[in-house]
Amino acid sequence: MSSKETSASSLELDPEKIPAHVAVIMDGNGRWARKRLLNRVKGHEQGAETVRRIVRACRELGIRVLTLYAFSTENWERPKAEITALMTLLKKFLESEKAELLENGIRLTTIGETERLPAGVQQALSDVRAATAHLTDMTLNLALSYGGRSELVRMARRVAEKAACGELSPEAVDQDLVADLLYTRGLPDPDLLIRTSGEMRISNFLLWQIAYAEIFVTDTLWPDFSREELIDILKQFQQRERRFGKIKPEDRA
Ligand code: IPE
Ligand code: IPE
Ligand code: MG
């Protein structure tokens, strides 16, 4: 255990059952702002602070991969001013967090149609991705302009292209091949999916990858989400019995 990690057991967590991959639908920034009669952008600013806190907490708890849903393909349909504010915030976040990512051994990766992002954001992303590519303690994976359906369409196109040029036979299409053609190639599937702000839906997030993720929905709005609540969810996660469609050995006749 490195000095950056708190012992999971000191927090009453089983170190053997820390999820390898946690994915989060960070929802509720707008409601947080509305409750305070503030502009939605203030909610996003506060949400960025929560991102900093939660990345730190995950690093400390030994979570290997954290995927954050930051901007969906559908979010492009929001008012232009909100999109611009989100993009500015994202660029600032990347610039201000680069040093901390480097210092903490955190690699930055992205999933989604990042080619649709403004040039300045793309530049900041390439810079931080390249600077942190060699780091192995943790992966911070940002879902940006991400949609699960668009990811599946992109995969199907690649399969069709390979088949059309004779590179691939139908029998060779299996689950490993599909997983290899998704943005998440090389990452383990999420063990734990958290959604803040109480909505019981997936909103086009990681449709393939969450097949067996344990789902937790909390009413807490994302700007109010804390390390303590994350630890509490991890404790509940560790109590869940994951069966993956099988039955417990003691239930066998
Ligand atoms: C999540 O908060 C952030 C993004 C989707 C970019 P929202 O902006 O969706 O907040 P609510 O759902 O309106 O409260
Ligand atoms: C999901 O939240 C997308 C992100 C958190 C980036 P939304 O606020 O966009 O989802 P809906 O509209 O409630 O389904
Ligand atoms: Mg929302």
mmCIF file of all heavy atoms in Angstrom, residues 198-246:
data_model
loop_
_atom_site.group_PDB
_atom_site.id
_atom_site.type_symbol
_atom_site.label_atom_id
_atom_site.label_comp_id
_atom_site.label_asym_id
_atom_site.label_seq_id
_atom_site.Cartn_x
_atom_site.Cartn_y
_atom_site.Cartn_z
ATOM 1 N N GLY A 198 -31.200 10.853 -7.616
ATOM 2 C CA GLY A 198 -32.433 10.098 -7.474
ATOM 3 C C GLY A 198 -33.128 9.545 -8.698
ATOM 4 O O GLY A 198 -34.102 8.803 -8.559
ATOM 5 N N GLU A 199 -32.664 9.883 -9.898
ATOM 6 C CA GLU A 199 -33.358 9.402 -11.095
ATOM 7 C C GLU A 199 -33.036 7.921 -11.338
ATOM 8 O O GLU A 199 -31.881 7.540 -11.374
ATOM 9 C CB GLU A 199 -32.887 10.210 -12.303
ATOM 10 C CG GLU A 199 -33.958 10.898 -13.067
ATOM 11 C CD GLU A 199 -34.547 12.100 -12.353
ATOM 12 O OE1 GLU A 199 -33.887 13.138 -12.303
ATOM 13 O OE2 GLU A 199 -35.682 11.959 -11.871
ATOM 14 N N MET A 200 -34.096 7.118 -11.526
ATOM 15 C CA MET A 200 -33.900 5.674 -11.726
ATOM 16 C C MET A 200 -33.738 5.368 -13.205
ATOM 17 O O MET A 200 -34.597 4.712 -13.798
ATOM 18 C CB MET A 200 -35.112 4.912 -11.165
ATOM 19 C CG MET A 200 -35.258 5.042 -9.678
ATOM 20 S SD MET A 200 -33.968 4.086 -8.869
ATOM 21 C CE MET A 200 -34.472 4.318 -7.171
ATOM 22 N N ARG A 201 -32.722 5.922 -13.821
ATOM 23 C CA ARG A 201 -32.498 5.584 -15.234
ATOM 24 C C ARG A 201 -31.020 5.627 -15.573
ATOM 25 O O ARG A 201 -30.193 6.161 -14.835
ATOM 26 C CB ARG A 201 -33.312 6.503 -16.144
ATOM 27 C CG ARG A 201 -33.068 7.974 -15.928
ATOM 28 C CD ARG A 201 -33.885 8.815 -16.926
ATOM 29 N NE ARG A 201 -33.754 10.217 -16.630
ATOM 30 C CZ ARG A 201 -34.703 10.992 -16.086
ATOM 31 N NH1 ARG A 201 -35.888 10.471 -15.800
ATOM 32 N NH2 ARG A 201 -34.485 12.261 -15.855
ATOM 33 N N ILE A 202 -30.721 5.067 -16.742
ATOM 34 C CA ILE A 202 -29.334 4.887 -17.177
ATOM 35 C C ILE A 202 -28.889 6.039 -18.087
ATOM 36 O O ILE A 202 -27.688 6.311 -18.200
ATOM 37 C CB ILE A 202 -29.203 3.514 -17.914
ATOM 38 C CG1 ILE A 202 -29.506 2.349 -16.946
ATOM 39 C CG2 ILE A 202 -27.843 3.314 -18.557
ATOM 40 C CD1 ILE A 202 -28.598 2.250 -15.737
ATOM 41 N N SER A 203 -29.853 6.713 -18.739
ATOM 42 C CA SER A 203 -29.541 7.857 -19.609
ATOM 43 C C SER A 203 -28.392 7.568 -20.593
ATOM 44 O O SER A 203 -27.482 8.388 -20.758
ATOM 45 C CB SER A 203 -29.226 9.099 -18.767
ATOM 46 O OG SER A 203 -30.322 9.429 -17.940
ATOM 47 N N ASN A 204 -28.447 6.401 -21.239
ATOM 48 C CA ASN A 204 -27.521 6.098 -22.346
ATOM 49 C C ASN A 204 -26.065 5.928 -21.907
ATOM 50 O O ASN A 204 -25.143 6.187 -22.673
ATOM 51 C CB ASN A 204 -27.643 7.206 -23.417
ATOM 52 C CG ASN A 204 -27.245 6.743 -24.810
ATOM 53 O OD1 ASN A 204 -27.029 5.554 -25.050
ATOM 54 N ND2 ASN A 204 -27.137 7.675 -25.735
ATOM 55 N N PHE A 205 -25.860 5.503 -20.682
ATOM 56 C CA PHE A 205 -24.495 5.336 -20.158
ATOM 57 C C PHE A 205 -24.055 3.874 -20.240
ATOM 58 O O PHE A 205 -24.779 2.982 -19.807
ATOM 59 C CB PHE A 205 -24.481 5.807 -18.702
ATOM 60 C CG PHE A 205 -23.110 5.986 -18.084
ATOM 61 C CD1 PHE A 205 -22.059 6.536 -18.802
ATOM 62 C CD2 PHE A 205 -22.878 5.631 -16.761
ATOM 63 C CE1 PHE A 205 -20.805 6.728 -18.223
ATOM 64 C CE2 PHE A 205 -21.631 5.819 -16.173
ATOM 65 C CZ PHE A 205 -20.598 6.364 -16.902
ATOM 66 N N LEU A 206 -22.924 3.585 -20.788
ATOM 67 C CA LEU A 206 -22.262 2.271 -20.750
ATOM 68 C C LEU A 206 -23.220 1.082 -20.900
ATOM 69 O O LEU A 206 -23.191 0.141 -20.100
ATOM 70 C CB LEU A 206 -21.479 2.135 -19.428
ATOM 71 C CG LEU A 206 -20.375 3.175 -19.177
ATOM 72 C CD1 LEU A 206 -19.765 2.984 -17.801
ATOM 73 C CD2 LEU A 206 -19.284 3.101 -20.243
ATOM 74 N N LEU A 207 -24.037 1.115 -21.942
ATOM 75 C CA LEU A 207 -25.110 0.118 -22.064
ATOM 76 C C LEU A 207 -24.592 -1.322 -22.076
ATOM 77 O O LEU A 207 -25.192 -2.207 -21.480
ATOM 78 C CB LEU A 207 -25.924 0.402 -23.330
ATOM 79 C CG LEU A 207 -26.622 1.762 -23.339
ATOM 80 C CD1 LEU A 207 -27.378 1.959 -24.638
ATOM 81 C CD2 LEU A 207 -27.562 1.902 -22.144
ATOM 82 N N TRP A 208 -23.512 -1.554 -22.741
ATOM 83 C CA TRP A 208 -22.948 -2.914 -22.822
ATOM 84 C C TRP A 208 -22.224 -3.289 -21.520
ATOM 85 O O TRP A 208 -22.373 -4.383 -20.999
ATOM 86 C CB TRP A 208 -21.979 -2.966 -24.017
ATOM 87 C CG TRP A 208 -21.092 -4.167 -24.079
ATOM 88 C CD1 TRP A 208 -19.895 -4.331 -23.421
ATOM 89 C CD2 TRP A 208 -21.305 -5.379 -24.820
ATOM 90 N NE1 TRP A 208 -19.350 -5.549 -23.707
ATOM 91 C CE2 TRP A 208 -20.191 -6.211 -24.570
ATOM 92 C CE3 TRP A 208 -22.320 -5.823 -25.673
ATOM 93 C CZ2 TRP A 208 -20.062 -7.469 -25.142
ATOM 94 C CZ3 TRP A 208 -22.177 -7.088 -26.243
ATOM 95 C CH2 TRP A 208 -21.079 -7.887 -25.977
ATOM 96 N N GLN A 209 -21.469 -2.328 -21.013
ATOM 97 C CA GLN A 209 -20.506 -2.613 -19.938
ATOM 98 C C GLN A 209 -21.156 -2.821 -18.570
ATOM 99 O O GLN A 209 -20.544 -3.416 -17.685
ATOM 100 C CB GLN A 209 -19.506 -1.448 -19.836
ATOM 101 C CG GLN A 209 -18.661 -1.239 -21.089
ATOM 102 C CD GLN A 209 -19.324 -0.315 -22.115
ATOM 103 O OE1 GLN A 209 -20.533 -0.107 -22.118
ATOM 104 N NE2 GLN A 209 -18.537 0.241 -23.021
ATOM 105 N N ILE A 210 -22.370 -2.323 -18.358
ATOM 106 C CA ILE A 210 -22.959 -2.427 -17.007
ATOM 107 C C ILE A 210 -23.827 -3.669 -16.824
ATOM 108 O O ILE A 210 -24.592 -3.759 -15.860
ATOM 109 C CB ILE A 210 -23.794 -1.176 -16.629
ATOM 110 C CG1 ILE A 210 -24.916 -0.947 -17.626
ATOM 111 C CG2 ILE A 210 -22.908 0.049 -16.481
ATOM 112 C CD1 ILE A 210 -25.944 0.076 -17.163
ATOM 113 N N ALA A 211 -23.663 -4.655 -17.726
ATOM 114 C CA ALA A 211 -24.508 -5.853 -17.677
ATOM 115 C C ALA A 211 -24.640 -6.415 -16.258
ATOM 116 O O ALA A 211 -25.727 -6.796 -15.839
ATOM 117 C CB ALA A 211 -23.955 -6.918 -18.626
ATOM 118 N N TYR A 212 -23.543 -6.472 -15.510
ATOM 119 C CA TYR A 212 -23.590 -7.018 -14.157
ATOM 120 C C TYR A 212 -23.098 -6.054 -13.082
ATOM 121 O O TYR A 212 -22.708 -6.477 -12.004
ATOM 122 C CB TYR A 212 -22.861 -8.376 -14.092
ATOM 123 C CG TYR A 212 -23.825 -9.489 -14.440
ATOM 124 C CD1 TYR A 212 -23.828 -10.073 -15.703
ATOM 125 C CD2 TYR A 212 -24.769 -9.898 -13.516
ATOM 126 C CE1 TYR A 212 -24.743 -11.052 -16.033
ATOM 127 C CE2 TYR A 212 -25.689 -10.876 -13.835
ATOM 128 C CZ TYR A 212 -25.674 -11.452 -15.091
ATOM 129 O OH TYR A 212 -26.591 -12.418 -15.401
ATOM 130 N N ALA A 213 -23.166 -4.759 -13.383
ATOM 131 C CA ALA A 213 -22.766 -3.777 -12.366
ATOM 132 C C ALA A 213 -23.817 -3.737 -11.260
ATOM 133 O O ALA A 213 -25.013 -3.904 -11.524
ATOM 134 C CB ALA A 213 -22.631 -2.401 -12.999
ATOM 135 N N GLU A 214 -23.379 -3.513 -10.031
ATOM 136 C CA GLU A 214 -24.304 -3.268 -8.919
ATOM 137 C C GLU A 214 -24.686 -1.792 -8.981
ATOM 138 O O GLU A 214 -23.823 -0.926 -9.084
ATOM 139 C CB GLU A 214 -23.621 -3.581 -7.578
ATOM 140 C CG GLU A 214 -23.280 -5.039 -7.396
ATOM 141 C CD GLU A 214 -24.517 -5.928 -7.311
ATOM 142 O OE1 GLU A 214 -25.550 -5.470 -6.781
ATOM 143 O OE2 GLU A 214 -24.445 -7.078 -7.779
ATOM 144 N N ILE A 215 -26.000 -1.520 -8.923
ATOM 145 C CA ILE A 215 -26.473 -0.144 -9.118
ATOM 146 C C ILE A 215 -26.886 0.494 -7.785
ATOM 147 O O ILE A 215 -27.607 -0.127 -7.001
ATOM 148 C CB ILE A 215 -27.655 -0.136 -10.118
ATOM 149 C CG1 ILE A 215 -27.196 -0.738 -11.461
ATOM 150 C CG2 ILE A 215 -28.210 1.273 -10.313
ATOM 151 C CD1 ILE A 215 -28.293 -0.856 -12.509
ATOM 152 N N PHE A 216 -26.413 1.689 -7.550
ATOM 153 C CA PHE A 216 -26.822 2.477 -6.376
ATOM 154 C C PHE A 216 -27.293 3.836 -6.844
ATOM 155 O O PHE A 216 -26.556 4.531 -7.542
ATOM 156 C CB PHE A 216 -25.658 2.684 -5.399
ATOM 157 C CG PHE A 216 -25.346 1.452 -4.601
ATOM 158 C CD1 PHE A 216 -24.639 0.408 -5.166
ATOM 159 C CD2 PHE A 216 -25.777 1.333 -3.287
ATOM 160 C CE1 PHE A 216 -24.375 -0.744 -4.442
ATOM 161 C CE2 PHE A 216 -25.509 0.185 -2.550
ATOM 162 C CZ PHE A 216 -24.805 -0.848 -3.132
ATOM 163 N N VAL A 217 -28.506 4.219 -6.442
ATOM 164 C CA VAL A 217 -29.012 5.553 -6.755
ATOM 165 C C VAL A 217 -29.182 6.288 -5.432
ATOM 166 O O VAL A 217 -29.825 5.782 -4.517
ATOM 167 C CB VAL A 217 -30.356 5.483 -7.520
ATOM 168 C CG1 VAL A 217 -30.926 6.879 -7.741
ATOM 169 C CG2 VAL A 217 -30.178 4.763 -8.859
ATOM 170 N N THR A 218 -28.570 7.458 -5.316
ATOM 171 C CA THR A 218 -28.722 8.258 -4.100
ATOM 172 C C THR A 218 -29.452 9.558 -4.445
ATOM 173 O O THR A 218 -29.298 10.077 -5.548
ATOM 174 C CB THR A 218 -27.358 8.583 -3.460
ATOM 175 O OG1 THR A 218 -27.556 9.594 -2.454
ATOM 176 C CG2 THR A 218 -26.343 9.115 -4.462
ATOM 177 N N ASP A 219 -30.248 10.043 -3.487
ATOM 178 C CA ASP A 219 -30.962 11.309 -3.714
ATOM 179 C C ASP A 219 -30.039 12.526 -3.626
ATOM 180 O O ASP A 219 -30.405 13.620 -4.040
ATOM 181 C CB ASP A 219 -32.098 11.470 -2.688
ATOM 182 C CG ASP A 219 -33.284 10.570 -3.019
ATOM 183 O OD1 ASP A 219 -33.451 10.231 -4.221
ATOM 184 O OD2 ASP A 219 -34.025 10.195 -2.098
ATOM 185 N N THR A 220 -28.868 12.336 -3.068
ATOM 186 C CA THR A 220 -27.918 13.464 -2.937
ATOM 187 C C THR A 220 -27.618 14.065 -4.310
ATOM 188 O O THR A 220 -27.384 13.333 -5.272
ATOM 189 C CB THR A 220 -26.589 12.950 -2.316
ATOM 190 O OG1 THR A 220 -26.900 12.300 -1.097
ATOM 191 C CG2 THR A 220 -25.611 14.080 -2.082
ATOM 192 N N LEU A 221 -27.636 15.381 -4.385
ATOM 193 C CA LEU A 221 -27.296 16.057 -5.642
ATOM 194 C C LEU A 221 -25.769 16.024 -5.802
ATOM 195 O O LEU A 221 -25.037 16.115 -4.804
ATOM 196 C CB LEU A 221 -27.809 17.507 -5.618
ATOM 197 C CG LEU A 221 -29.310 17.657 -5.323
ATOM 198 C CD1 LEU A 221 -29.693 19.139 -5.194
ATOM 199 C CD2 LEU A 221 -30.166 16.999 -6.415
ATOM 200 N N TRP A 222 -25.283 15.912 -7.041
ATOM 201 C CA TRP A 222 -23.848 15.708 -7.246
ATOM 202 C C TRP A 222 -22.970 16.735 -6.497
ATOM 203 O O TRP A 222 -21.997 16.348 -5.848
ATOM 204 C CB TRP A 222 -23.509 15.648 -8.742
ATOM 205 C CG TRP A 222 -22.037 15.534 -8.977
ATOM 206 C CD1 TRP A 222 -21.208 16.482 -9.477
ATOM 207 C CD2 TRP A 222 -21.200 14.398 -8.656
ATOM 208 N NE1 TRP A 222 -19.905 16.022 -9.500
ATOM 209 C CE2 TRP A 222 -19.873 14.746 -9.010
ATOM 210 C CE3 TRP A 222 -21.438 13.131 -8.094
ATOM 211 C CZ2 TRP A 222 -18.798 13.873 -8.833
ATOM 212 C CZ3 TRP A 222 -20.354 12.257 -7.920
ATOM 213 C CH2 TRP A 222 -19.061 12.630 -8.284
ATOM 214 N N PRO A 223 -23.297 18.025 -6.501
ATOM 215 C CA PRO A 223 -22.413 18.962 -5.798
ATOM 216 C C PRO A 223 -22.302 18.666 -4.298
ATOM 217 O O PRO A 223 -21.336 19.074 -3.659
ATOM 218 C CB PRO A 223 -23.072 20.338 -6.050
ATOM 219 C CG PRO A 223 -23.820 20.154 -7.321
ATOM 220 C CD PRO A 223 -24.346 18.739 -7.258
ATOM 221 N N ASP A 224 -23.280 17.950 -3.731
ATOM 222 C CA ASP A 224 -23.250 17.627 -2.298
ATOM 223 C C ASP A 224 -22.663 16.240 -2.020
ATOM 224 O O ASP A 224 -22.576 15.828 -0.863
ATOM 225 C CB ASP A 224 -24.671 17.670 -1.710
ATOM 226 C CG ASP A 224 -25.263 19.065 -1.711
ATOM 227 O OD1 ASP A 224 -24.481 20.037 -1.559
ATOM 228 O OD2 ASP A 224 -26.495 19.196 -1.885
ATOM 229 N N PHE A 225 -22.303 15.502 -3.053
ATOM 230 C CA PHE A 225 -21.828 14.124 -2.856
ATOM 231 C C PHE A 225 -20.446 14.159 -2.193
ATOM 232 O O PHE A 225 -19.588 14.953 -2.562
ATOM 233 C CB PHE A 225 -21.766 13.405 -4.204
ATOM 234 C CG PHE A 225 -21.554 11.922 -4.096
ATOM 235 C CD1 PHE A 225 -22.567 11.103 -3.620
ATOM 236 C CD2 PHE A 225 -20.354 11.341 -4.482
ATOM 237 C CE1 PHE A 225 -22.386 9.726 -3.521
ATOM 238 C CE2 PHE A 225 -20.154 9.967 -4.380
ATOM 239 C CZ PHE A 225 -21.172 9.156 -3.909
ATOM 240 N N SER A 226 -20.242 13.279 -1.206
ATOM 241 C CA SER A 226 -19.014 13.355 -0.404
ATOM 242 C C SER A 226 -18.265 12.023 -0.359
ATOM 243 O O SER A 226 -18.814 10.969 -0.680
ATOM 244 C CB SER A 226 -19.382 13.737 1.027
ATOM 245 O OG SER A 226 -20.181 12.698 1.582
ATOM 246 N N ARG A 227 -17.034 12.115 0.102
ATOM 247 C CA ARG A 227 -16.204 10.930 0.342
ATOM 248 C C ARG A 227 -16.919 9.996 1.324
ATOM 249 O O ARG A 227 -16.917 8.778 1.145
ATOM 250 C CB ARG A 227 -14.873 11.424 0.927
ATOM 251 C CG ARG A 227 -13.950 10.377 1.445
ATOM 252 C CD ARG A 227 -12.711 11.063 2.039
ATOM 253 N NE ARG A 227 -11.755 10.089 2.538
ATOM 254 C CZ ARG A 227 -11.802 9.563 3.766
ATOM 255 N NH1 ARG A 227 -12.763 9.916 4.598
ATOM 256 N NH2 ARG A 227 -10.891 8.689 4.150
ATOM 257 N N GLU A 228 -17.553 10.567 2.362
ATOM 258 C CA GLU A 228 -18.227 9.757 3.380
ATOM 259 C C GLU A 228 -19.363 8.952 2.752
ATOM 260 O O GLU A 228 -19.544 7.785 3.050
ATOM 261 C CB GLU A 228 -18.790 10.635 4.510
ATOM 262 C CG GLU A 228 -17.755 11.231 5.431
ATOM 263 C CD GLU A 228 -16.800 12.210 4.737
ATOM 264 O OE1 GLU A 228 -17.264 12.995 3.855
ATOM 265 O OE2 GLU A 228 -15.592 12.183 5.033
ATOM 266 N N GLU A 229 -20.117 9.591 1.862
ATOM 267 C CA GLU A 229 -21.223 8.859 1.231
ATOM 268 C C GLU A 229 -20.681 7.780 0.288
ATOM 269 O O GLU A 229 -21.239 6.686 0.201
ATOM 270 C CB GLU A 229 -22.166 9.814 0.474
ATOM 271 C CG GLU A 229 -23.385 9.054 -0.035
ATOM 272 C CD GLU A 229 -24.542 9.921 -0.504
ATOM 273 O OE1 GLU A 229 -24.432 11.160 -0.507
ATOM 274 O OE2 GLU A 229 -25.563 9.313 -0.878
ATOM 275 N N LEU A 230 -19.589 8.084 -0.383
ATOM 276 C CA LEU A 230 -18.965 7.074 -1.247
ATOM 277 C C LEU A 230 -18.564 5.857 -0.409
ATOM 278 O O LEU A 230 -18.828 4.703 -0.786
ATOM 279 C CB LEU A 230 -17.732 7.671 -1.954
ATOM 280 C CG LEU A 230 -16.898 6.678 -2.748
ATOM 281 C CD1 LEU A 230 -17.672 6.155 -3.970
ATOM 282 C CD2 LEU A 230 -15.576 7.305 -3.209
ATOM 283 N N ILE A 231 -17.945 6.107 0.745
ATOM 284 C CA ILE A 231 -17.518 5.000 1.611
ATOM 285 C C ILE A 231 -18.731 4.201 2.081
ATOM 286 O O ILE A 231 -18.720 2.969 2.093
ATOM 287 C CB ILE A 231 -16.681 5.524 2.803
ATOM 288 C CG1 ILE A 231 -15.345 6.073 2.280
ATOM 289 C CG2 ILE A 231 -16.453 4.439 3.861
ATOM 290 C CD1 ILE A 231 -14.536 6.850 3.288
ATOM 291 N N ASP A 232 -19.816 4.916 2.403
ATOM 292 C CA ASP A 232 -21.036 4.249 2.828
ATOM 293 C C ASP A 232 -21.592 3.347 1.702
ATOM 294 O O ASP A 232 -22.000 2.211 1.945
ATOM 295 C CB ASP A 232 -22.056 5.325 3.224
ATOM 296 C CG ASP A 232 -23.288 4.710 3.816
ATOM 297 O OD1 ASP A 232 -23.130 3.996 4.825
ATOM 298 O OD2 ASP A 232 -24.393 4.903 3.260
ATOM 299 N N ILE A 233 -21.569 3.841 0.475
ATOM 300 C CA ILE A 233 -22.039 3.037 -0.670
ATOM 301 C C ILE A 233 -21.123 1.827 -0.862
ATOM 302 O O ILE A 233 -21.590 0.718 -1.132
ATOM 303 C CB ILE A 233 -22.122 3.903 -1.950
ATOM 304 C CG1 ILE A 233 -23.250 4.931 -1.806
ATOM 305 C CG2 ILE A 233 -22.327 3.044 -3.201
ATOM 306 C CD1 ILE A 233 -23.354 5.942 -2.934
ATOM 307 N N LEU A 234 -19.814 2.029 -0.686
ATOM 308 C CA LEU A 234 -18.876 0.909 -0.838
ATOM 309 C C LEU A 234 -19.160 -0.170 0.210
ATOM 310 O O LEU A 234 -19.085 -1.366 -0.080
ATOM 311 C CB LEU A 234 -17.426 1.391 -0.707
ATOM 312 C CG LEU A 234 -16.901 2.249 -1.868
ATOM 313 C CD1 LEU A 234 -15.525 2.812 -1.538
ATOM 314 C CD2 LEU A 234 -16.836 1.446 -3.161
ATOM 315 N N LYS A 235 -19.525 0.255 1.421
ATOM 316 C CA LYS A 235 -19.864 -0.723 2.465
ATOM 317 C C LYS A 235 -21.085 -1.536 2.050
ATOM 318 O O LYS A 235 -21.118 -2.751 2.189
ATOM 319 C CB LYS A 235 -20.135 -0.023 3.806
ATOM 320 C CG LYS A 235 -18.863 0.400 4.492
ATOM 321 C CD LYS A 235 -19.153 1.045 5.835
ATOM 322 C CE LYS A 235 -17.850 1.644 6.370
ATOM 323 N NZ LYS A 235 -18.062 2.645 7.409
ATOM 324 N N GLN A 236 -22.086 -0.843 1.535
ATOM 325 C CA GLN A 236 -23.292 -1.561 1.081
ATOM 326 C C GLN A 236 -22.968 -2.477 -0.098
ATOM 327 O O GLN A 236 -23.463 -3.591 -0.190
ATOM 328 C CB GLN A 236 -24.371 -0.575 0.656
ATOM 329 C CG GLN A 236 -24.914 0.267 1.795
ATOM 330 C CD GLN A 236 -25.946 1.240 1.282
ATOM 331 O OE1 GLN A 236 -26.934 0.850 0.667
ATOM 332 N NE2 GLN A 236 -25.714 2.524 1.500
ATOM 333 N N PHE A 237 -22.125 -1.990 -0.997
ATOM 334 C CA PHE A 237 -21.702 -2.795 -2.153
ATOM 335 C C PHE A 237 -21.071 -4.106 -1.678
ATOM 336 O O PHE A 237 -21.336 -5.181 -2.212
ATOM 337 C CB PHE A 237 -20.699 -1.987 -3.000
ATOM 338 C CG PHE A 237 -19.975 -2.790 -4.041
ATOM 339 C CD1 PHE A 237 -20.563 -3.050 -5.275
ATOM 340 C CD2 PHE A 237 -18.698 -3.292 -3.796
ATOM 341 C CE1 PHE A 237 -19.896 -3.796 -6.238
ATOM 342 C CE2 PHE A 237 -18.028 -4.040 -4.747
ATOM 343 C CZ PHE A 237 -18.631 -4.292 -5.970
ATOM 344 N N GLN A 238 -20.256 -3.995 -0.624
ATOM 345 C CA GLN A 238 -19.549 -5.184 -0.131
ATOM 346 C C GLN A 238 -20.501 -6.196 0.516
ATOM 347 O O GLN A 238 -20.152 -7.358 0.664
ATOM 348 C CB GLN A 238 -18.451 -4.758 0.853
ATOM 349 C CG GLN A 238 -17.380 -3.921 0.157
ATOM 350 C CD GLN A 238 -16.105 -3.750 0.952
ATOM 351 O OE1 GLN A 238 -16.120 -3.804 2.185
ATOM 352 N NE2 GLN A 238 -15.003 -3.542 0.257
ATOM 353 N N GLN A 239 -21.709 -5.733 0.893
ATOM 354 C CA GLN A 239 -22.707 -6.645 1.459
ATOM 355 C C GLN A 239 -23.526 -7.344 0.383
ATOM 356 O O GLN A 239 -24.227 -8.307 0.657
ATOM 357 C CB GLN A 239 -23.697 -5.886 2.370
ATOM 358 C CG GLN A 239 -23.081 -5.184 3.566
ATOM 359 C CD GLN A 239 -22.269 -6.129 4.422
ATOM 360 O OE1 GLN A 239 -22.721 -7.231 4.720
ATOM 361 N NE2 GLN A 239 -21.061 -5.709 4.776
ATOM 362 N N ARG A 240 -23.494 -6.814 -0.823
ATOM 363 C CA ARG A 240 -24.327 -7.402 -1.883
ATOM 364 C C ARG A 240 -23.744 -8.736 -2.329
ATOM 365 O O ARG A 240 -22.528 -8.893 -2.397
ATOM 366 C CB ARG A 240 -24.388 -6.456 -3.090
ATOM 367 C CG ARG A 240 -25.141 -5.183 -2.787
ATOM 368 C CD ARG A 240 -26.238 -4.965 -3.776
ATOM 369 N NE ARG A 240 -26.850 -3.663 -3.592
ATOM 370 C CZ ARG A 240 -27.144 -2.830 -4.585
ATOM 371 N NH1 ARG A 240 -26.878 -3.169 -5.844
ATOM 372 N NH2 ARG A 240 -27.731 -1.684 -4.344
ATOM 373 N N GLU A 241 -24.627 -9.648 -2.670
ATOM 374 C CA GLU A 241 -24.160 -10.917 -3.191
ATOM 375 C C GLU A 241 -24.212 -10.863 -4.713
ATOM 376 O O GLU A 241 -25.291 -10.738 -5.291
ATOM 377 C CB GLU A 241 -25.045 -12.038 -2.669
ATOM 378 C CG GLU A 241 -24.493 -13.374 -3.044
ATOM 379 C CD GLU A 241 -25.449 -14.505 -2.746
ATOM 380 O OE1 GLU A 241 -26.631 -14.386 -3.138
ATOM 381 O OE2 GLU A 241 -25.027 -15.468 -2.120
ATOM 382 N N ARG A 242 -23.068 -10.937 -5.342
ATOM 383 C CA ARG A 242 -23.021 -10.879 -6.812
ATOM 384 C C ARG A 242 -23.032 -12.309 -7.327
ATOM 385 O O ARG A 242 -22.130 -13.082 -7.040
ATOM 386 C CB ARG A 242 -21.769 -10.128 -7.260
ATOM 387 C CG ARG A 242 -21.710 -8.728 -6.706
ATOM 388 C CD ARG A 242 -20.549 -7.951 -7.271
ATOM 389 N NE ARG A 242 -20.796 -7.516 -8.645
ATOM 390 C CZ ARG A 242 -19.847 -7.037 -9.436
ATOM 391 N NH1 ARG A 242 -18.607 -6.979 -9.026
ATOM 392 N NH2 ARG A 242 -20.138 -6.644 -10.662
ATOM 393 N N ARG A 243 -24.061 -12.649 -8.081
ATOM 394 C CA ARG A 243 -24.202 -14.042 -8.519
ATOM 395 C C ARG A 243 -23.902 -14.243 -9.996
ATOM 396 O O ARG A 243 -23.670 -15.347 -10.441
ATOM 397 C CB ARG A 243 -25.605 -14.558 -8.195
ATOM 398 C CG ARG A 243 -25.820 -14.810 -6.712
ATOM 399 C CD ARG A 243 -27.114 -15.550 -6.456
ATOM 400 N NE ARG A 243 -28.274 -14.723 -6.776
ATOM 401 C CZ ARG A 243 -28.838 -13.868 -5.924
ATOM 402 N NH1 ARG A 243 -28.370 -13.743 -4.702
ATOM 403 N NH2 ARG A 243 -29.877 -13.149 -6.281
ATOM 404 N N PHE A 244 -23.947 -13.176 -10.784
ATOM 405 C CA PHE A 244 -23.681 -13.271 -12.224
ATOM 406 C C PHE A 244 -24.522 -14.358 -12.893
ATOM 407 O O PHE A 244 -24.049 -15.080 -13.771
ATOM 408 C CB PHE A 244 -22.179 -13.500 -12.482
ATOM 409 C CG PHE A 244 -21.308 -12.396 -11.938
ATOM 410 C CD1 PHE A 244 -20.692 -12.527 -10.691
ATOM 411 C CD2 PHE A 244 -21.126 -11.218 -12.647
ATOM 412 C CE1 PHE A 244 -19.906 -11.497 -10.175
ATOM 413 C CE2 PHE A 244 -20.341 -10.188 -12.137
ATOM 414 C CZ PHE A 244 -19.735 -10.334 -10.902
ATOM 415 N N GLY A 245 -25.753 -14.506 -12.426
ATOM 416 C CA GLY A 245 -26.672 -15.466 -13.050
ATOM 417 C C GLY A 245 -26.548 -16.877 -12.516
ATOM 418 O O GLY A 245 -27.344 -17.754 -12.860
ATOM 419 N N LYS A 246 -25.542 -17.122 -11.663
ATOM 420 C CA LYS A 246 -25.346 -18.489 -11.140
ATOM 421 C C LYS A 246 -26.093 -18.635 -9.812
ATOM 422 O O LYS A 246 -26.777 -17.711 -9.384
ATOM 423 C CB LYS A 246 -23.852 -18.741 -10.952
ATOM 424 C CG LYS A 246 -23.084 -18.583 -12.255
ATOM 425 C CD LYS A 246 -21.593 -18.566 -12.016
ATOM 426 C CE LYS A 246 -20.877 -18.046 -13.254
ATOM 427 N NZ LYS A 246 -19.605 -17.449 -12.977
#
